[in-house]
Amino acid sequence: MALIIDTHAHYDDEVFDQDREQLFEAMKDKIEIVVNVGASMKSCQDTLALMEKYSFVYGALGVHPSEVEPLTPADMEWIKKESSKEKIVAIGEIGLDYHWKEPAKEVQYKWFIEQLKLAREVSLPIIIHSRDAAQDTLSILKQEKASQLGGIIHCYSYSKETAKEFLDMGFYFGIGGVVTFANGKKLKEVVEYLPLDKIVLETDCPYLSPEPNRGKRNSSLNLPYVVDAIAAIKGISKEEVIEVTQQNAKDVYRIK
Ligand code: NI
């Protein structure tokens, strides 16, 4: 039986400190792999610790655009060194976020490009965070020939037309709780448009819990609601969604 892979989670978050162990225990027969994704230098360190402690936790190392201000070249060296660990499957999450005014765009560009170069040096795919910044994200990815790296556009939030541009570059699309929201019409159209073999499941937990648990703390245990939504949109079985997205996740992260 195919099992769900959560391609993007933040279990290092302190909201899981009380019951992380029990939560992971409850996932045993339902979730095959969780990829814990770094967003700051601290969360990258915590990701390594989780990955070492739990066999089904894999990791991605990278710094989110909102957290790049304090970065130093030494931090890049550290990520480069640690990313050679066997269960590190990607560099991310990295990208651009114009929803917030800080850090300045120039600072975000600099560290986005630095981390794309790092991904190339260590031969790993990338996990892209892009919010209110579609055009700049696309132009930097093209300039840096990121289609050669491959990876996932996490929490995809743009139009169908923009999706075509990312698809043409070979990227996968991370689909999570938003696809279940009543106001998630735009994403539903994108999911209808995307080939199933370019979709991967993600929670972004503790954020973006799907209906009927919207607003509560999210976890990988909610992914069946996302599976249901994708199956309904595409008119296929839940089993097919789980099976194909599981294989997609292994392909993009090169997990054997
Ligand atoms: Ni995230």
Side-chain angles (χ1 to χ4, degrees):
M1 194 188 77
L3 291 178
I4 289 173
I5 296 183
D6 185 348
T7 61
H8 192 119
H10 301 284
Y11 282 111
D12 52 288
D13 196 293
E14 61 185 17
V15 300
F16 294 112
D17 284 352
Q18 294 299 316
D19 61 346
R20 191 177 290 109
E21 196 83 39
Q22 293 96 300
L23 201 52
F24 283 176
E25 192 62 34
M27 287 178 201
K28 269 198 167 143
D29 306 318
K30 304 176 182 81
I31 308 294
E32 183 187 11
I33 291 168
V34 164
V35 178
N36 205 75
V37 177
S40 61
M41 290 306 292
K42 163 91 168 62
S43 70
C44 286
Q45 288 159 7
D46 294 344
T47 293
L48 291 180
L50 284 176
M51 190 179 92
E52 272 149 35
K53 187 163 180 198
Y54 301 99
S55 61
F56 80 113
V57 175
Y58 286 58
L61 299 179
V63 178
H64 183 291
S66 300
E67 304 282 344
V68 293
E69 196 82 66
L71 284 179
T72 65
D75 293 327
M76 292 298 104
E77 280 307 310
W78 183 86
I79 291 178
K80 194 170 148 188
K81 178 168 68 78
E82 298 299 329
S83 64
S84 66
K85 294 207 159 107
E86 201 191 328
K87 278 168 47 188
I88 294 296
V89 294
I91 296 298
E93 53 187 289
I94 61 175
L96 300 173
D97 193 325
Y98 295 170
H99 183 74
W100 312 104
K101 291 217 162 26
E102 302 283 328
K105 287 181 180 179
E106 294 67 28
V107 177
Q108 296 191 36
Y109 297 156
K110 171 183 154 63
W111 291 106
F112 185 22
I113 293 169
E114 288 277 339
Q115 294 183 90
L116 288 170
K117 291 193 193 305
L118 190 156
R120 185 176 298 279
E121 286 178 53
V122 299
S123 301
L124 283 175
I126 50 181
I127 302 170
I128 300 293
H129 170 104
S130 177
R131 190 176 184 194
D132 299 341
Q135 287 321 310
D136 285 355
T137 302
L138 278 165
S139 59
I140 289 177
L141 290 174
K142 282 175 188 159
Q143 171 200 311
E144 295 301 317
K145 300 190 170 51
S147 59
Q148 296 168 351
L149 303 171
I152 298 170
I153 314 297
H154 143 68
C155 194
Y156 185 78
S157 61
Y158 301 129
S159 68
K160 209 164 81 173
E161 291 70 29
T162 304
K164 184 178 185 308
E165 297 202 53
F166 287 111
L167 258 188
D168 288 346
M169 297 178 78
F171 285 104
Y172 290 77
F173 293 71
I175 303 297
V178 178
V179 76
T180 69
F181 294 176
N183 57 353
K185 186 165 169 277
K186 190 169 81 171
L187 183 62
K188 290 185 175 90
E189 283 171 10
V190 169
V191 168
E192 192 178 4
Y193 165 73
L194 290 175
L196 186 61
D197 64 7
K198 285 294 176 187
I199 293 175
V200 290
L201 303 175
E202 63 171 34
T203 52
D204 204 23
C205 64
Y207 312 105
L208 296 173
S209 200
E211 294 288 0
N213 294 325
R214 188 173 182 179
K216 297 183 190 156
R217 185 185 74 170
N218 197 7
S219 86
S220 312
L221 293 173
N222 281 321
L223 280 171
Y225 297 116
V226 175
V227 168
D228 287 351
I230 295 172
I233 292 166
K234 293 210 159 290
I236 56 177
S237 69
K238 297 172 196 183
E239 290 70 27
E240 187 176 357
V241 174
I242 293 173
E243 207 169 299
V244 176
T245 57
Q246 178 193 37
Q247 189 58 50
N248 295 344
K250 289 183 178 179
D251 289 346
V252 65
Y253 287 147
R254 303 172 204 149
I255 296 171
K256 289 187 196 84

